[in-house]
Amino acid sequence: MGVTYKYFGAPNSAAAASVPISMRPEELGGDELGMGGMFTKIKPETVAAMVLTGIEGIPLHKVPPLELVVLHPDYAVVKLPMTVVDPLRGIGEESVGAAAFIWSTVPDRGGPPDAFTIYRLLNEWQDFSHRLHEAGHQPYCLVWP
């Protein structure tokens, strides 16, 4: 079946940690984990590396680690650094396209195989970053095995 990732915003780690134990991807709406969350099969560390390497030019080995908020037998919640969403708010389409191309050329990168799929993902992530900023939230990811 694979792992499912739900990216969402929360004002702090305590709020992000209050995910109901029984919650499954098919049960999630927008309200439980912040409006406009995103489901994907892309790992949070891959998304972080994609943004920081493609847009900020940070070498892959210098991408900061994620912070574990909750580790439960049924799920985990991790906090992504704000540096993963902030760079996307101030760039245009051309920069998003360049970042997608750059990420598509990084060896052993993980994630989508082609620049167009990466471009679409970065556009979604850019919209997500604007919603987080407007709500004053930080980025989190709920992970199910």
Side-chain angles (χ1 to χ4, degrees):
M1 176 146 172
V3 177
T4 300
Y5 303 98
K6 164 81 179 196
Y7 293 92
F8 65 98
N12 54 49
S13 292
S18 65
V19 176
I21 292 171
S22 65
M23 196 173 286
R24 289 282 177 244
E26 60 274 6
E27 297 170 359
L28 285 174
D31 297 327
E32 297 90 341
L33 295 176
M35 293 303 293
M38 299 184 342
F39 280 113
T40 183
K41 294 290 185 182
I42 308 295
K43 295 179 191 179
E45 56 270 20
T46 300
V47 172
M50 193 180 304
V51 170
L52 295 174
T53 301
I55 295 171
E56 296 290 292
I58 294 174
L60 201 52
H61 69 281
K62 294 208 179 207
V63 172
L66 306 176
E67 178 185 324
L68 182 64
V69 176
V70 173
L71 181 58
H72 184 274
D74 294 330
Y75 65 88
V77 176
V78 295
K79 179 181 177 186
L80 288 83
M82 287 304 289
T83 53
V84 174
V85 291
D86 286 345
L88 284 163
R89 285 201 329 270
I91 65 171
E93 290 295 312
E94 190 173 297
S95 296
V96 173
F101 175 75
I102 289 166
W103 185 249
S104 73
T105 65
V106 173
D108 302 324
R109 62 181 155 57
D114 63 278
F116 181 70
T117 305
I118 296 166
Y119 174 78
R120 286 195 341 231
L121 178 68
L122 286 175
N123 269 311
E124 290 176 29
W125 196 250
Q126 190 173 41
D127 291 342
F128 181 58
S129 71
H130 285 290
R131 291 192 306 269
L132 285 177
H133 182 70
E134 289 165 8
H137 286 179
Q138 299 170 35
Y140 293 89
C141 184
L142 178 60
V143 181
W144 291 275

